[in-house]
Amino acid sequence: MYMVFLMVGIVVMCGLLCFSELIVQIWDKADARSRAARRPVYAAPARVPAKVTRLPVPGSLPDREAIGKICSLSDHFADHFQKVVNS
């Protein structure tokens, strides 16, 4: 007798799962139809990037020798600083 109740319970559970799946499928189809019926919303036009204005800068770029001197000076300072820290 318990076997019959168990089988009926399994059949009822499967029926409920199939019924809920059927409801979800109907809901999705109705939602897809309502989305297709709406007109698409157009996005706002893209913003135009700001124009870059060039500012006149007096003077010229430093020459390579001056840059090399600055780099060697910073290397000299780094070496001296390391010696001070290690002592």
Side-chain angles (χ1 to χ4, degrees):
M1 189 70 180
Y2 290 113
M3 190 64 97
V4 173
F5 289 138
L6 182 64
M7 294 296 281
V8 169
I10 291 174
V11 169
V12 168
M13 290 300 287
C14 289
L16 287 174
L17 288 173
C18 290
F19 183 69
S20 64
E21 180 66 25
L22 180 68
I23 289 175
V24 168
Q25 292 291 332
I26 292 171
W27 192 306
D28 283 343
K29 286 182 183 178
D31 190 39
R33 284 185 190 152
S34 69
R35 273 189 267 134
R38 287 186 232 147
R39 291 180 45 174
V41 177
Y42 294 104
R47 296 178 68 188
V48 178
K51 293 182 180 180
V52 177
T53 57
R54 295 181 183 240
L55 299 174
V57 179
S60 62
L61 295 174
D63 57 337
R64 290 182 181 221
E65 291 179 12
I67 293 174
K69 289 178 184 176
I70 292 172
C71 290
S72 66
L73 185 62
S74 65
D75 291 339
H76 176 73
F77 176 76
D79 293 339
H80 182 70
F81 184 73
Q82 189 174 14
K83 286 178 186 176
V84 169
V85 170
N86 288 339
S87 63

Coordinates of all heavy atoms in Angstrom, one line a residue:
M1 N 0.8 -1.2 0.0 CA 0.0 0.0 0.0 C 0.9 1.3 0.0 O 0.5 2.2 -0.7 CB -0.9 0.0 1.2 CG -1.9 1.0 1.3 SD -3.2 0.6 0.0 CE -4.3 1.9 0.2
Y2 N 2.0 1.2 0.8 CA 2.8 2.4 0.8 C 3.5 2.6 -0.5 O 3.8 3.8 -0.9 CB 3.9 2.2 1.9 CG 3.4 2.3 3.3 CD1 3.4 1.2 4.1 CD2 2.9 3.4 3.8 CE1 2.9 1.2 5.4 CE2 2.4 3.5 5.1 CZ 2.4 2.4 5.9 OH 1.9 2.5 7.2
M3 N 3.7 1.6 -1.3 CA 4.3 1.7 -2.6 C 3.4 2.5 -3.5 O 3.8 3.3 -4.3 CB 4.6 0.3 -3.2 CG 5.5 0.4 -4.4 SD 7.1 1.1 -4.1 CE 8.0 -0.4 -3.9
V4 N 2.1 2.3 -3.4 CA 1.1 3.0 -4.2 C 1.2 4.5 -3.9 O 1.2 5.4 -4.8 CB -0.3 2.4 -4.1 CG1 -1.3 3.3 -4.8 CG2 -0.3 1.0 -4.5
F5 N 1.2 4.8 -2.6 CA 1.2 6.2 -2.2 C 2.5 6.9 -2.6 O 2.5 8.1 -3.1 CB 1.1 6.3 -0.7 CG -0.3 6.0 -0.1 CD1 -0.4 5.3 1.0 CD2 -1.4 6.5 -0.8 CE1 -1.7 5.0 1.5 CE2 -2.6 6.3 -0.3 CZ -2.8 5.5 0.9
L6 N 3.6 6.2 -2.6 CA 4.9 6.7 -3.0 C 4.9 7.0 -4.5 O 5.3 8.0 -5.0 CB 6.0 5.7 -2.7 CG 7.4 6.1 -3.1 CD1 7.9 7.4 -2.3 CD2 8.4 5.0 -2.9
M7 N 4.3 6.0 -5.3 CA 4.2 6.3 -6.8 C 3.3 7.4 -7.1 O 3.6 8.2 -8.0 CB 3.7 5.0 -7.5 CG 4.6 3.8 -7.4 SD 6.2 4.1 -8.2 CE 5.7 3.8 -9.9
V8 N 2.2 7.5 -6.4 CA 1.2 8.7 -6.6 C 1.9 10.0 -6.3 O 1.8 11.0 -7.0 CB -0.1 8.5 -5.8 CG1 -0.9 9.7 -5.8 CG2 -0.8 7.3 -6.4
G9 N 2.7 10.0 -5.2 CA 3.4 11.2 -4.8 C 4.4 11.6 -5.8 O 4.6 12.8 -6.2
I10 N 5.2 10.6 -6.4 CA 6.2 10.9 -7.4 C 5.5 11.5 -8.7 O 5.9 12.5 -9.3 CB 7.0 9.7 -7.7 CG1 7.9 9.4 -6.5 CG2 7.8 9.9 -9.0 CD1 8.7 8.1 -6.7
V11 N 4.3 10.9 -9.1 CA 3.6 11.3 -10.2 C 3.1 12.8 -10.0 O 3.1 13.6 -10.9 CB 2.5 10.4 -10.6 CG1 1.5 10.9 -11.6 CG2 3.0 9.0 -11.1
V12 N 2.6 13.0 -8.8 CA 2.0 14.4 -8.5 C 3.2 15.4 -8.6 O 3.0 16.5 -9.1 CB 1.3 14.4 -7.2 CG1 1.0 15.8 -6.7 CG2 0.0 13.6 -7.3
M13 N 4.3 15.1 -8.0 CA 5.5 16.0 -8.0 C 5.9 16.3 -9.4 O 6.2 17.4 -9.8 CB 6.6 15.5 -7.2 CG 6.3 15.4 -5.7 SD 6.0 17.1 -5.0 CE 7.6 17.7 -5.1
C14 N 6.0 15.2 -10.2 CA 6.4 15.4 -11.7 C 5.4 16.3 -12.4 O 5.7 17.1 -13.2 CB 6.6 14.1 -12.3 SG 8.0 13.2 -11.8
G15 N 4.1 16.1 -12.1 CA 3.1 16.9 -12.7 C 3.2 18.3 -12.3 O 3.0 19.2 -13.2
L16 N 3.5 18.6 -11.1 CA 3.6 20.0 -10.6 C 4.8 20.7 -11.3 O 4.8 21.8 -11.7 CB 3.8 20.1 -9.1 CG 2.5 19.8 -8.3 CD1 2.8 19.7 -6.8 CD2 1.4 20.9 -8.6
L17 N 5.9 19.9 -11.4 CA 7.1 20.5 -12.1 C 6.8 20.8 -13.5 O 7.2 21.8 -14.1 CB 8.3 19.5 -11.9 CG 8.9 19.4 -10.6 CD1 10.0 18.3 -10.5 CD2 9.5 20.7 -10.2
C18 N 6.2 19.9 -14.2 CA 5.8 20.1 -15.6 C 4.9 21.3 -15.8 O 5.0 22.1 -16.7 CB 5.2 18.9 -16.2 SG 6.3 17.5 -16.5
F19 N 3.9 21.4 -14.8 CA 3.0 22.5 -14.9 C 3.7 23.9 -14.7 O 3.4 24.8 -15.4 CB 1.9 22.3 -13.8 CG 0.8 23.4 -13.8 CD1 -0.1 23.5 -14.8 CD2 0.8 24.3 -12.7 CE1 -1.0 24.5 -14.8 CE2 -0.2 25.3 -12.7 CZ -1.1 25.4 -13.8
S20 N 4.6 23.9 -13.7 CA 5.3 25.1 -13.5 C 6.2 25.5 -14.7 O 6.4 26.6 -15.0 CB 6.2 25.0 -12.2 OG 7.2 24.0 -12.3
E21 N 6.8 24.5 -15.3 CA 7.6 24.7 -16.5 C 6.7 25.3 -17.6 O 7.1 26.2 -18.4 CB 8.3 23.4 -17.0 CG 9.2 23.6 -18.2 CD 10.4 24.5 -18.0 OE1 10.8 24.6 -16.9 OE2 10.8 25.0 -19.0
L22 N 5.6 24.7 -17.8 CA 4.6 25.2 -18.8 C 4.2 26.7 -18.5 O 4.2 27.5 -19.5 CB 3.4 24.3 -18.8 CG 2.3 24.7 -19.8 CD1 2.8 24.5 -21.2 CD2 1.0 23.9 -19.5
I23 N 4.0 27.0 -17.3 CA 3.7 28.4 -16.9 C 4.8 29.3 -17.3 O 4.7 30.4 -17.8 CB 3.3 28.5 -15.4 CG1 1.9 27.9 -15.2 CG2 3.3 30.0 -15.0 CD1 1.5 27.8 -13.8
V24 N 6.1 28.9 -17.0 CA 7.2 29.7 -17.3 C 7.4 29.9 -18.8 O 7.7 31.0 -19.3 CB 8.5 29.1 -16.7 CG1 9.8 29.8 -17.2 CG2 8.5 29.2 -15.2
Q25 N 7.2 28.9 -19.6 CA 7.3 29.0 -21.0 C 6.2 30.0 -21.6 O 6.5 30.8 -22.5 CB 7.1 27.6 -21.7 CG 8.2 26.6 -21.4 CD 9.5 27.0 -22.1 OE1 9.5 27.7 -23.1 NE2 10.6 26.7 -21.5
I26 N 5.0 29.9 -21.1 CA 4.0 30.8 -21.5 C 4.3 32.2 -21.2 O 4.1 33.2 -22.0 CB 2.6 30.4 -20.9 CG1 2.2 29.0 -21.6 CG2 1.5 31.4 -21.2 CD1 0.9 28.4 -20.9
W27 N 4.8 32.4 -20.0 CA 5.2 33.8 -19.5 C 6.3 34.3 -20.4 O 6.3 35.5 -20.7 CB 5.7 33.6 -18.1 CG 5.8 35.0 -17.3 CD1 6.6 36.0 -17.7 CD2 5.3 35.3 -16.1 NE1 6.5 37.0 -16.8 CE2 5.7 36.6 -15.8 CE3 4.4 34.7 -15.2 CZ2 5.3 37.3 -14.7 CZ3 4.1 35.4 -14.1 CH2 4.5 36.7 -13.8
D28 N 7.3 33.5 -20.7 CA 8.4 34.0 -21.6 C 7.9 34.4 -23.0 O 8.3 35.4 -23.5 CB 9.5 32.9 -21.7 CG 10.4 32.9 -20.5 OD1 10.4 33.8 -19.7 OD2 11.1 31.8 -20.3
K29 N 7.0 33.6 -23.5 CA 6.5 33.9 -24.9 C 5.7 35.2 -24.8 O 5.8 36.1 -25.7 CB 5.6 32.8 -25.4 CG 6.4 31.6 -25.8 CD 5.6 30.5 -26.4 CE 6.4 29.3 -26.8 NZ 5.6 28.2 -27.3
A30 N 4.9 35.4 -23.8 CA 4.1 36.6 -23.7 C 5.0 37.8 -23.5 O 4.8 38.9 -24.0 CB 3.1 36.5 -22.5
D31 N 6.1 37.7 -22.7 CA 7.1 38.8 -22.5 C 7.8 39.1 -23.8 O 8.0 40.3 -24.1 CB 8.0 38.4 -21.4 CG 8.9 39.5 -20.9 OD1 8.3 40.6 -20.8 OD2 10.1 39.3 -20.7
A32 N 8.1 38.1 -24.6 CA 8.8 38.3 -25.8 C 7.9 39.1 -26.8 O 8.4 40.0 -27.5 CB 9.3 37.0 -26.4
R33 N 6.6 38.7 -26.8 CA 5.7 39.4 -27.7 C 5.5 40.9 -27.3 O 5.5 41.8 -28.1 CB 4.3 38.8 -27.7 CG 4.3 37.5 -28.4 CD 2.9 37.0 -28.5 NE 2.9 35.6 -29.0 CZ 2.0 34.7 -28.7 NH1 1.0 34.9 -27.8 NH2 2.1 33.5 -29.3
S34 N 5.5 41.1 -26.0 CA 5.3 42.5 -25.5 C 6.6 43.3 -25.8 O 6.5 44.5 -26.1 CB 5.0 42.6 -24.0 OG 6.1 42.2 -23.3
R35 N 7.8 42.7 -25.7 CA 9.0 43.4 -26.1 C 9.1 43.7 -27.5 O 9.6 44.8 -28.0 CB 10.2 42.6 -25.6 CG 10.6 42.9 -24.2 CD 11.9 42.3 -23.8 NE 11.7 41.0 -23.3 CZ 12.3 39.9 -23.6 NH1 13.2 39.9 -24.5 NH2 12.0 38.7 -23.0
A36 N 8.6 42.8 -28.4 CA 8.6 43.0 -29.8 C 7.6 44.1 -30.3 O 7.8 44.8 -31.3 CB 8.3 41.7 -30.5
A37 N 6.5 44.3 -29.5 CA 5.5 45.3 -29.9 C 6.0 46.7 -29.6 O 5.5 47.6 -30.2 CB 4.2 45.0 -29.1
R38 N 6.9 46.8 -28.6 CA 7.4 48.2 -28.2 C 8.3 48.7 -29.3 O 9.1 47.9 -29.9 CB 8.1 48.1 -26.9 CG 7.1 48.0 -25.8 CD 7.9 48.1 -24.4 NE 7.6 46.9 -23.6 CZ 8.4 46.3 -22.8 NH1 9.6 46.8 -22.6 NH2 8.0 45.3 -22.1
R39 N 8.3 50.0 -29.5 CA 9.3 50.6 -30.4 C 10.6 50.7 -29.7 O 10.7 51.0 -28.5 CB 8.8 52.0 -30.8 CG 7.6 51.9 -31.7 CD 7.1 53.3 -32.1 NE 8.2 54.1 -32.5 CZ 8.1 55.3 -33.0 NH1 7.0 55.9 -33.1 NH2 9.2 56.0 -33.3
P40 N 11.7 50.5 -30.4 CA 13.0 50.6 -29.8 C 13.3 52.1 -29.3 O 12.9 53.0 -30.0 CB 14.0 50.2 -30.9 CG 13.2 50.5 -32.1 CD 11.8 50.2 -31.8
V41 N 14.0 52.2 -28.2 CA 14.3 53.5 -27.7 C 15.7 53.9 -28.3 O 16.7 53.1 -28.1 CB 14.4 53.5 -26.2 CG1 14.8 54.8 -25.6 CG2 13.0 53.1 -25.6
Y42 N 15.8 55.0 -28.9 CA 17.1 55.4 -29.4 C 17.9 56.1 -28.4 O 17.4 56.9 -27.6 CB 16.8 56.4 -30.6 CG 16.2 55.7 -31.8 CD1 14.8 55.9 -32.0 CD2 16.9 54.8 -32.6 CE1 14.2 55.2 -33.1 CE2 16.2 54.1 -33.6 CZ 14.9 54.3 -33.9 OH 14.3 53.7 -34.9
A43 N 19.2 55.8 -28.4 CA 20.1 56.3 -27.5 C 20.5 57.8 -27.9 O 20.4 58.2 -29.0 CB 21.4 55.5 -27.4
A44 N 20.9 58.5 -26.9 CA 21.3 59.9 -27.1 C 22.6 59.9 -28.0 O 23.4 59.0 -27.9 CB 21.6 60.6 -25.8
P45 N 22.7 60.9 -28.8 CA 24.0 60.9 -29.6 C 25.2 61.0 -28.8 O 25.2 61.6 -27.7 CB 23.8 62.2 -30.5 CG 22.8 63.0 -29.8 CD 21.9 62.0 -29.0
A46 N 26.3 60.4 -29.3 CA 27.5 60.4 -28.6 C 28.1 61.8 -28.4 O 27.9 62.7 -29.3 CB 28.6 59.5 -29.3
R47 N 28.7 62.1 -27.3 CA 29.3 63.4 -27.1 C 30.5 63.6 -27.9 O 31.3 62.7 -28.1 CB 29.6 63.6 -25.6 CG 28.4 63.5 -24.7 CD 28.7 63.6 -23.3 NE 29.2 64.9 -23.0 CZ 29.8 65.3 -21.9 NH1 29.9 64.5 -20.9 NH2 30.2 66.5 -21.7
V48 N 30.6 64.8 -28.4 CA 31.8 65.1 -29.2 C 32.9 65.5 -28.3 O 32.7 66.2 -27.3 CB 31.5 66.3 -30.1 CG1 32.7 66.7 -31.0 CG2 30.3 66.0 -31.0
P49 N 34.1 64.9 -28.5 CA 35.2 65.2 -27.5 C 35.6 66.7 -27.7 O 35.4 67.3 -28.7 CB 36.3 64.3 -28.0 CG 36.0 63.9 -29.4 CD 34.5 63.9 -29.5
A50 N 36.0 67.2 -26.6 CA 36.4 68.6 -26.5 C 37.6 68.8 -27.4 O 38.5 68.0 -27.5 CB 36.7 69.0 -25.1
K51 N 37.7 70.0 -28.0 CA 38.8 70.4 -28.8 C 40.0 70.7 -28.0 O 39.9 71.4 -26.9 CB 38.5 71.5 -29.7 CG 37.4 71.2 -30.7 CD 37.1 72.4 -31.6 CE 36.1 72.1 -32.7 NZ 35.8 73.2 -33.5
V52 N 41.1 70.3 -28.4 CA 42.4 70.5 -27.6 C 43.0 71.8 -28.2 O 43.2 71.9 -29.4 CB 43.4 69.4 -27.8 CG1 44.7 69.7 -27.0 CG2 42.8 68.1 -27.2
T53 N 43.2 72.8 -27.3 CA 43.8 74.0 -27.7 C 45.3 74.0 -27.3 O 45.6 73.6 -26.2 CB 43.1 75.2 -27.1 OG1 43.2 75.1 -25.7 CG2 41.7 75.3 -27.5
R54 N 46.1 74.4 -28.2 CA 47.5 74.4 -28.0 C 47.9 75.8 -27.4 O 47.6 76.8 -28.0 CB 48.3 74.2 -29.2 CG 48.1 72.8 -29.8 CD 48.9 72.5 -31.0 NE 48.5 71.2 -31.5 CZ 49.4 70.2 -31.6 NH1 50.7 70.4 -31.4 NH2 49.0 69.1 -32.1
L55 N 48.6 75.7 -26.3 CA 49.0 77.0 -25.7 C 50.5 77.3 -26.1 O 51.3 76.4 -26.1 CB 49.0 76.8 -24.1 CG 47.6 76.6 -23.5 CD1 47.7 76.3 -22.1 CD2 46.7 77.7 -23.8
P56 N 50.7 78.5 -26.5 CA 52.1 78.8 -26.9 C 53.0 78.8 -25.6 O 52.7 79.5 -24.6 CB 52.0 80.2 -27.5 CG 50.7 80.8 -26.9 CD 49.8 79.6 -26.6
V57 N 54.1 78.1 -25.7 CA 55.0 78.0 -24.6 C 56.3 78.7 -25.0 O 56.9 78.3 -26.1 CB 55.3 76.5 -24.3 CG1 56.3 76.4 -23.1 CG2 54.0 75.8 -23.9
P58 N 56.7 79.6 -24.2 CA 58.0 80.3 -24.6 C 59.2 79.4 -24.4 O 59.2 78.6 -23.5 CB 58.0 81.5 -23.7 CG 57.2 81.1 -22.5 CD 56.1 80.2 -23.0
G59 N 60.2 79.6 -25.2 CA 61.4 78.8 -25.1 C 61.3 77.5 -25.9 O 60.3 77.2 -26.6
S60 N 62.4 76.7 -25.8 CA 62.4 75.4 -26.5 C 62.7 74.3 -25.5 O 62.9 74.5 -24.3 CB 63.6 75.5 -27.5 OG 64.8 75.7 -26.9
L61 N 62.7 73.1 -26.0 CA 62.9 71.9 -25.2 C 64.4 71.9 -24.8 O 65.3 72.4 -25.6 CB 62.6 70.7 -26.0 CG 61.1 70.5 -26.3 CD1 60.9 69.3 -27.2 CD2 60.3 70.4 -25.0
P62 N 64.7 71.3 -23.7 CA 66.1 71.2 -23.3 C 66.9 70.3 -24.2 O 66.3 69.3 -24.7 CB 66.1 70.7 -21.8 CG 64.8 70.1 -21.7 CD 63.8 70.8 -22.6
D63 N 68.2 70.5 -24.4 CA 69.0 69.6 -25.2 C 69.3 68.4 -24.5 O 69.1 68.2 -23.3 CB 70.2 70.4 -25.7 CG 71.1 70.9 -24.6 OD1 70.5 71.0 -23.5 OD2 72.3 71.1 -24.8
R64 N 69.8 67.4 -25.2 CA 70.1 66.1 -24.6 C 71.2 66.2 -23.5 O 71.2 65.4 -22.6 CB 70.6 65.1 -25.7 CG 69.4 64.8 -26.6 CD 69.9 63.8 -27.7 NE 68.8 63.5 -28.5 CZ 68.5 62.3 -29.0 NH1 69.3 61.3 -28.7 NH2 67.5 62.0 -29.8
E65 N 72.1 67.0 -23.7 CA 73.2 67.1 -22.7 C 72.6 67.6 -21.3 O 73.0 67.0 -20.3 CB 74.3 68.1 -23.1 CG 75.1 67.6 -24.3 CD 76.1 68.6 -24.8 OE1 76.4 69.5 -24.0 OE2 76.7 68.3 -25.8
A66 N 71.7 68.5 -21.3 CA 71.1 69.0 -20.1 C 70.3 67.9 -19.4 O 70.4 67.8 -18.2 CB 70.3 70.2 -20.4
I67 N 69.6 67.1 -20.2 CA 68.8 66.0 -19.7 C 69.8 65.0 -19.1 O 69.5 64.4 -18.0 CB 67.9 65.4 -20.8 CG1 66.8 66.4 -21.2 CG2 67.3 64.1 -20.3 CD1 66.0 66.0 -22.3
G68 N 70.9 64.7 -19.8 CA 71.8 63.7 -19.3 C 72.4 64.2 -18.0 O 72.7 63.4 -17.1
K69 N 72.7 65.5 -17.8 CA 73.3 66.0 -16.6 C 72.3 65.9 -15.4 O 72.6 65.5 -14.3 CB 73.7 67.5 -16.8 CG 74.9 67.7 -17.7 CD 75.1 69.2 -17.8 CE 76.3 69.4 -18.8 NZ 76.5 70.8 -19.0
I70 N 71.0 66.1 -15.7 CA 70.0 66.0 -14.7 C 69.9 64.5 -14.3 O 69.8 64.2 -13.1 CB 68.6 66.5 -15.2 CG1 68.7 68.0 -15.4 CG2 67.5 66.1 -14.2 CD1 67.5 68.6 -16.0
C71 N 69.9 63.6 -15.2 CA 69.8 62.2 -14.9 C 71.0 61.7 -14.1 O 70.9 61.0 -13.1 CB 69.7 61.3 -16.2 SG 68.1 61.5 -17.0
S72 N 72.2 62.2 -14.5 CA 73.4 61.8 -13.7 C 73.4 62.4 -12.3 O 73.8 61.8 -11.3 CB 74.7 62.2 -14.5 OG 74.8 63.6 -14.5
L73 N 72.8 63.6 -12.2 CA 72.7 64.2 -10.9 C 71.8 63.4 -10.0 O 72.1 63.2 -8.8 CB 72.3 65.7 -11.0 CG 72.2 66.5 -9.8 CD1 73.6 66.6 -9.1 CD2 71.6 67.9 -10.0
S74 N 70.7 63.0 -10.6 CA 69.7 62.2 -9.7 C 70.3 60.8 -9.4 O 70.1 60.3 -8.3 CB 68.4 62.0 -10.5 OG 68.6 61.2 -11.7
D75 N 71.1 60.2 -10.3 CA 71.8 59.0 -9.9 C 72.8 59.2 -8.8 O 72.9 58.4 -7.9 CB 72.5 58.4 -11.2 CG 71.5 57.9 -12.2 OD1 70.4 57.6 -11.8 OD2 71.9 57.8 -13.4
H76 N 73.5 60.3 -8.9 CA 74.5 60.6 -7.8 C 73.8 60.8 -6.5 O 74.3 60.3 -5.5 CB 75.3 61.9 -8.2 CG 76.2 62.4 -7.2 ND1 77.4 61.7 -6.9 CD2 76.2 63.4 -6.3 CE1 78.0 62.4 -5.9 NE2 77.3 63.4 -5.6
F77 N 72.7 61.5 -6.5 CA 71.9 61.7 -5.3 C 71.4 60.4 -4.7 O 71.4 60.1 -3.5 CB 70.7 62.7 -5.5 CG 69.8 62.8 -4.3 CD1 70.2 63.6 -3.2 CD2 68.6 62.2 -4.2 CE1 69.4 63.8 -2.1 CE2 67.8 62.3 -3.1 CZ 68.2 63.1 -2.1
A78 N 70.9 59.5 -5.6 CA 70.4 58.2 -5.2 C 71.5 57.4 -4.5 O 71.3 56.7 -3.5 CB 69.8 57.5 -6.3
D79 N 72.7 57.4 -5.2 CA 73.8 56.7 -4.6 C 74.2 57.2 -3.2 O 74.5 56.4 -2.3 CB 75.0 56.7 -5.5 CG 74.8 56.0 -6.8 OD1 73.9 55.1 -6.8 OD2 75.5 56.3 -7.8
H80 N 74.3 58.5 -3.1 CA 74.7 59.2 -1.8 C 73.6 58.8 -0.8 O 74.0 58.5 0.4 CB 74.8 60.7 -2.0 CG 75.2 61.4 -0.8 ND1 76.5 61.2 -0.2 CD2 74.6 62.2 0.0 CE1 76.6 62.0 0.9 NE2 75.4 62.6 1.1
F81 N 72.3 58.9 -1.1 CA 71.3 58.6 -0.2 C 71.3 57.2 0.3 O 71.1 56.9 1.5 CB 69.9 58.9 -0.8 CG 68.7 58.7 0.1 CD1 68.5 59.6 1.1 CD2 67.9 57.6 0.0 CE1 67.4 59.5 1.9 CE2 66.8 57.5 0.8 CZ 66.6 58.4 1.8
Q82 N 71.7 56.2 -0.6 CA 71.8 54.8 -0.2 C 72.9 54.6 0.7 O 72.8 53.9 1.7 CB 72.0 54.0 -1.5 CG 71.9 52.5 -1.2 CD 72.0 51.7 -2.5 OE1 72.3 52.2 -3.6 NE2 71.6 50.4 -2.4
K83 N 74.0 55.3 0.5 CA 75.2 55.2 1.4 C 74.8 55.8 2.8 O 75.2 55.1 3.8 CB 76.4 56.0 0.9 CG 77.1 55.4 -0.3 CD 78.2 56.3 -0.8 CE 78.8 55.7 -2.0 NZ 79.9 56.6 -2.5
V84 N 74.0 56.9 2.9 CA 73.6 57.4 4.1 C 72.7 56.5 4.9 O 72.8 56.3 6.1 CB 73.0 58.8 3.9 CG1 72.3 59.3 5.2 CG2 74.0 59.8 3.4
V85 N 71.8 55.9 4.2 CA 70.8 55.0 4.8 C 71.5 53.7 5.3 O 71.2 53.2 6.4 CB 69.7 54.6 3.8 CG1 68.8 53.5 4.3 CG2 68.8 55.8 3.5
N86 N 72.5 53.2 4.5 CA 73.2 51.9 4.9 C 74.1 52.1 6.0 O 74.5 51.2 6.7 CB 73.9 51.3 3.7 CG 72.9 50.8 2.7 OD1 71.8 50.4 3.0 ND2 73.3 50.6 1.5
S87 N 74.6 53.4 6.3 CA 75.6 53.6 7.3 C 74.9 53.7 8.7 O 73.8 53.8 8.9 CB 76.4 54.9 7.0 OG 75.6 56.0 7.0

